Amino acid sequence: MSVKTAAPKSRKTTANNGSYHTSEFTKEQLLTVYKFMYMARQIDNKSMNLLKQGKTFFHIAGSGHEAVQLAIGMLLNPKSDWIFPYYRDLALVLKSGVTPKDFFLQCFAKADDPACGGRQLPCHFGTQPTLNIPSQSSPTGTQFLQAVGTALAAKRTHTDSVSYVSSGEGTTSQGEFHEAVNWASREKLPVLFVIQNNKYAISVHVSKQSGGKGNSIHEMMAGYASLERFLIDGTDFFESYKKVSEALDYIRSGKGPALIEAEVVRLASHSSSDDHKKYRTEAELEEDRSKDPILRFTGIVVAEGALKESELEEIRNQVDADIDKAVEDAFAAPNPTADTAERYVLDESGHADKLQYEKTTPSGKPIVMVDAINHALHEEMAVNDKIYVFGEDIADGKGGVFTATKGLSSKFGEERVFNSPLAEASIVGVATGMALAGLRPVVEIQFGDYIWPAFMQYKCELATFRYRSNNAWEVPVVTRVAVGGYIHGGLYHSQNIESIFAHVPGLLIAYPSNAIDAKGLLKTAMRLNDPVIFCEHKGLYRQSFATMPEPDENYLVPFGKAKVVKEGTDVTVVSYGATLWDAFLSAKKLEEEGYSAEIIDIRTIVPLDEETIYNSVKKTGKAIVIHEDTYTAGFGAEIAARISENCFRFLDGPVRRYAAKDAHIPYAPVLENAILPSREETYRRIKELIQY
């Protein structure tokens, strides 16, 4: 629909049913509202025309949502408040500081696009950190938990800000939406949830989507005591402004979050890839057009004499010219170059290289691995007040199910160390938001077996933030997670997860085998600028052979530097975690028989120290990789492939692997032993390769 029809003389005047009247706004304010509503609509129209011309590839319109978005934009400050928009929030982000040129730089996928440098689809809004609009992703609903995280950071650091987060009504079917409302309501956090209900999630009507009374999101969320709820006409700017003002007053009073269900209209198809005429009747579309928020606004301001048609025409002419200029300039801007495609997966600042590693010799009293982890947390929290620790059951007196966090909440207080809800996606999503706000969350996932509800937050959010924002935003979240078997934990307390997460660019992964490395690597993880998955083998927590002299508070272990724990000449054995010890003890036994095995503990999965591995293989001529995860697609397969690819001419035998069988890990000891690698078989496999 062309916005030229927004001139009020083409329609009957629409009555102002809101409690605000034009007299309560200055002329400048009303002109601003109209300017950005019209700008958003014309950008929608221009984008579709460019797509038809083959100059762009995708657009998703916000036409019909402009009124409530402008009400919000007039009342929030993107320099102090946080804005987590969804793909239809064009009018809001324009009012918040995104320019038409910014929009079209992304539309044309240009190198200078401030949102992502050409890395994301159009309408994935984001800014540099001068404005609090973090890079938006495509999965619907993931942003809700991040908004809770920035709000929690504001509350914990006593900062006066509100976190705005929005979506369409369809996204409220996602679990992360409900988890976010639950967390925000329980802690009375300053979050403004806005659901822009245009009644269609692509082609699925709200009646097939929401279980609330009358399919209302407002009604569905009635059970939260601290959540202030509003159901408004989102096509009426004046009503929207009044209700958003009331919601923000409630939030800023500290009473809790607020949720606004804004009934809006979708005047265009879901996206440029959709045709809503396939599933909507012409009568329904015409009814929506009669509620066009721009026509309603102009009808009111002209009828009440607040603005003249000539003033509106002047704005339209200026905006049209500005958009044409923005398109021209953006189209002429440089494209990204192919050599930048791999940039900013991880931090490139050189920060990690400036840390001082292994500068002291561990010489303290012998310490078990779980206590080494506990001490690392205590030491780093004492020197960095930005570190916040949370997860399930981690506060005192429990102190974590393995006591890894004991004493932390007693020493540092419940503001910095606290129990989370039993919801893994919440833990990771909220931590991501806190990291965006400048904090350094260290979270615990109680068992690796239960990390999977959070996988979307890891794969599509935490790991991609730096890359998708073209290095504008970073999220240094450390996730401590207990993994591994040999404890008779059955199917759901024995899993290894490293190979799955190793497949996700943007995550660092540590997997220590002893107390020294556990403490040194964890302290390093808490100082790096990238997200870290820190795998802690439960079977090693109190194991005698993993007990080592404790390093001091200055001891750091570098990521990407393997350790040769035993030198040898006949075979290279690469391992990590619990199976490292089976390999080491097997090598000791083989040494008594006259064989020499070199044992390498890789210590970190990502980055992997290939150089140490290759140098060893070139010396020994043989290699076997031993790990606890499944044989098929375990991380050992990756190591073996790299050895074969890079050391083939030095090999005197096949690259072997020994790992768990491709089955789930059962409870009964005799069954568990049949699945997991054993020390006896480790010894046999190494010897067999030596004798090849």
Side-chain angles (χ1 to χ4, degrees):
M1 175 181 181
S2 173
V3 192
K4 293 297 184 184
T5 59
K9 58 189 177 184
S10 66
R11 295 271 184 176
K12 291 183 178 180
T13 298
T14 304
N16 177 11
N17 296 319
S19 299
Y20 273 76
H21 294 275
T22 56
S23 60
E24 299 179 65
F25 296 85
T26 65
K27 174 175 281 193
E28 182 181 2
Q29 287 176 316
L30 294 173
L31 288 171
T32 296
V33 172
Y34 182 69
K35 171 187 173 181
F36 284 104
M37 290 174 77
Y38 180 79
M39 182 185 295
R41 185 68 63 84
Q42 286 297 81
I43 286 176
D44 276 346
N45 292 334
K46 177 68 76 171
S47 297
M48 290 303 296
N49 288 336
L50 291 169
L51 192 143
K52 292 173 183 176
Q53 295 167 17
K55 295 180 178 179
T56 63
F57 308 105
F58 182 79
H59 182 66
I60 190 162
S63 297
H65 293 231
E66 296 94 345
V68 67
Q69 291 178 15
L70 257 297
I72 295 162
M74 296 287 284
L75 290 162
L76 291 179
N77 181 354
K79 293 185 178 180
S80 56
D81 298 317
W82 287 88
I83 296 175
F84 290 86
Y86 90 123
Y87 45 75
R88 296 199 201 281
D89 264 325
L90 176 58
L92 170 61
V93 298
L94 289 170
K95 177 62 181 68
S96 300
V98 174
T99 68
K101 182 179 178 181
D102 292 338
F103 178 89
F104 287 108
L105 283 169
Q106 187 177 66
C107 199
F108 293 127
K110 296 295 185 174
D112 296 333
D113 160 29
C116 67
R119 297 178 174 212
Q120 291 214 85
L121 287 168
C123 305
H124 285 61
F125 306 115
T127 62
Q128 301 297 301
T130 50
L131 296 177
N132 289 338
I133 309 178
S135 171
Q136 176 198 345
S137 67
S138 292
T140 57
T142 48
Q143 71 272 23
F144 284 109
L145 289 168
Q146 295 161 24
V148 172
T150 54
L152 183 61
K155 184 174 182 179
R156 290 289 196 266
T157 59
H158 310 288
T159 302
D160 182 22
S161 71
V162 170
S163 294
Y164 161 88
V165 60
S166 64
S167 79
E169 78 289 344
T171 295
T172 64
S173 295
Q174 293 282 349
E176 274 126 319
F177 166 71
H178 294 270
E179 291 184 25
V181 173
N182 178 61
W183 192 317
S185 300
R186 179 179 54 81
E187 291 210 31
K188 299 182 178 179
L189 297 179
V191 184
L192 175 60
F193 298 95
V194 176
I195 307 304
Q196 299 176 41
N197 185 354
N198 62 31
K199 297 186 172 53
Y200 278 95
I202 305 185
S203 66
V204 179
H205 192 263
V206 67
S207 61
K208 307 291 186 183
Q209 196 76 243
S210 172
K213 182 179 179 181
N215 309 124
S216 168
I217 313 305
H218 165 269
E219 291 292 332
M220 183 170 63
M221 309 312 291
Y224 293 99
S226 71
L227 180 69
E228 189 77 349
R229 297 173 297 117
F230 300 85
L231 178 62
I232 70 171
D233 181 352
T235 67
D236 183 338
F237 168 79
F238 298 99
E239 178 183 339
S240 297
Y241 190 93
K242 178 179 187 301
K243 295 303 181 182
V244 172
S245 298
E246 292 176 9
L248 290 172
D249 287 344
Y250 176 83
I251 292 168
R252 294 189 191 278
S253 74
K255 295 178 182 177
L259 181 142
I260 295 174
E261 180 183 2
E263 294 183 324
V264 294
V265 290
R266 198 183 79 186
L267 298 178
S269 296
H270 167 74
S271 72
S272 56
S273 302
D274 176 50
D275 180 3
H276 61 181
K277 292 181 180 179
K278 293 180 178 179
Y279 50 87
R280 301 183 69 185
T281 66
E282 180 56 35
E284 182 184 24
L285 293 172
E286 179 57 31
E287 182 181 358
D288 274 6
R289 287 191 285 267
S290 72
K291 300 174 183 176
D292 186 323
I294 301 182
L295 295 178
R296 295 192 69 181
F297 179 81
T298 55
I300 291 166
V301 296
V302 171
E304 294 188 4
L307 296 178
K308 298 177 182 178
E309 167 58 25
S310 59
E311 293 170 319
L312 300 178
E313 183 67 25
E314 183 179 350
I315 285 179
R316 289 197 290 270
N317 291 337
Q318 183 60 56
V319 168
D320 288 345
D322 290 345
I323 290 175
D324 287 343
K325 181 68 164 54
V327 170
E328 180 182 345
D329 290 346
F331 190 74
N335 294 315
T337 56
D339 62 343
T340 66
E342 295 180 70
R343 295 288 307 275
Y344 308 129
V345 174
L346 294 166
D347 180 26
E348 299 180 13
S349 69
H351 167 73
D353 297 330
K354 296 174 184 176
L355 299 176
Q356 292 184 307
Y357 299 107
E358 299 174 313
K359 66 177 184 177
T360 59
T361 300
S363 57
K365 294 180 179 179
I367 188 172
V368 296
M369 196 169 92
V370 70
D371 287 348
I373 290 165
N374 178 265
H375 293 185
L377 292 167
H378 274 275
E379 291 171 6
E380 291 301 302
M381 289 195 75
V383 298
N384 188 348
D385 63 5
K386 294 185 180 298
I387 293 177
Y388 284 70
V389 175
F390 61 97
E392 298 162 13
D393 300 296
I394 63 97
D396 295 324
K398 184 72 174 175
V401 296
F402 299 104
T403 71
T405 55
K406 67 180 179 181
L408 289 176
S409 63
S410 297
K411 182 176 181 179
F412 297 102
E414 293 185 359
E415 286 285 296
R416 289 182 64 195
V417 183
F418 51 92
N419 290 327
S420 72
L422 202 157
E424 287 75 17
S426 289
I427 293 170
V428 180
V430 168
T432 302
M434 294 177 74
L436 289 169
L439 302 182
R440 287 185 165 265
V442 180
V443 301
E444 178 179 304
I445 299 295
Q446 204 166 83
F447 291 91
D449 316 62
Y450 305 129
I451 202 169
W452 309 117
F455 193 69
M456 175 74 86
Q457 289 290 339
Y458 284 113
K459 176 69 172 71
C460 293
E461 298 298 332
L462 194 64
T464 65
F465 242 107
R466 184 185 296 280
Y467 184 82
R468 77 178 192 237
S469 68
N470 204 25
N471 206 38
W473 297 89
E474 63 184 22
V475 280
V477 175
V478 176
T479 301
R480 294 182 39 256
V481 53
V483 299
Y486 301 105
I487 63 164
H488 313 313
L491 280 70
Y492 304 111
H493 295 82
S494 305
Q495 293 176 21
N496 281 279
I497 64 172
E498 72 275 8
S499 64
I500 305 299
F501 283 94
H503 193 66
V504 181
L507 297 177
L508 300 176
I509 305 172
Y511 201 145
S513 66
N514 60 78
I516 291 175
D517 289 343
K519 184 175 182 181
L521 284 168
L522 183 56
K523 288 172 71 69
T524 300
M526 289 185 276
R527 300 188 187 191
L528 296 176
N529 293 330
D530 287 311
V532 177
I533 305 292
F534 195 84
C535 297
E536 302 169 6
H537 198 290
K538 303 182 292 293
L540 296 178
Y541 271 148
R542 292 179 173 81
Q543 184 60 255
S544 59
F545 47 68
T547 300
M548 297 281 173
E550 181 171 9
D552 65 21
E553 68 277 7
N554 298 313
Y555 188 81
L556 304 177
V557 172
F559 276 56
K561 182 61 178 176
K563 183 177 182 180
V564 179
V565 298
K566 183 185 180 302
E567 293 188 355
T569 57
D570 294 335
V571 66
T572 296
V573 183
V574 182
S575 191
Y576 55 92
T579 53
L580 181 281
W581 290 103
D582 286 343
F584 178 78
L585 295 171
S586 295
K588 287 288 189 180
K589 182 178 178 180
L590 287 164
E591 191 172 42
E592 296 172 359
E593 301 174 15
Y595 300 107
S596 178
E598 183 148 296
I599 309 299
I600 296 176
D601 183 352
I602 61 173
R603 304 200 288 192
T604 61
I605 308 293
V606 180
L608 177 67
D609 181 0
E610 298 178 60
E611 182 180 2
T612 296
I613 296 171
Y614 298 161
N615 286 340
S616 177
V617 173
K618 290 173 184 178
K619 177 177 64 173
T620 67
K622 294 177 181 178
I624 181 170
V625 186
I626 300 173
H627 62 79
E628 185 181 332
D629 200 2
T630 54
Y631 181 85
T632 299
F635 192 69
E638 180 65 30
I639 298 174
R642 295 190 189 191
I643 293 172
S644 296
E645 184 176 347
N646 292 280
C647 301
F648 181 78
R649 68 182 185 277
F650 301 101
L651 291 171
D652 295 324
V655 179
R656 300 285 197 192
R657 285 179 288 150
Y658 177 44
K661 294 182 174 64
D662 290 341
H664 304 292
I665 301 171
Y667 169 61
V670 66
L671 299 178
E672 181 184 42
N673 292 339
I675 297 299
L676 295 177
S678 69
R679 187 169 303 166
E680 294 77 13
E681 186 65 12
T682 297
Y683 160 81
R684 193 189 70 79
R685 296 288 185 101
I686 297 173
K687 184 174 181 178
E688 180 182 63
L689 182 57
I690 292 174
Q691 295 176 336
Y692 180 85

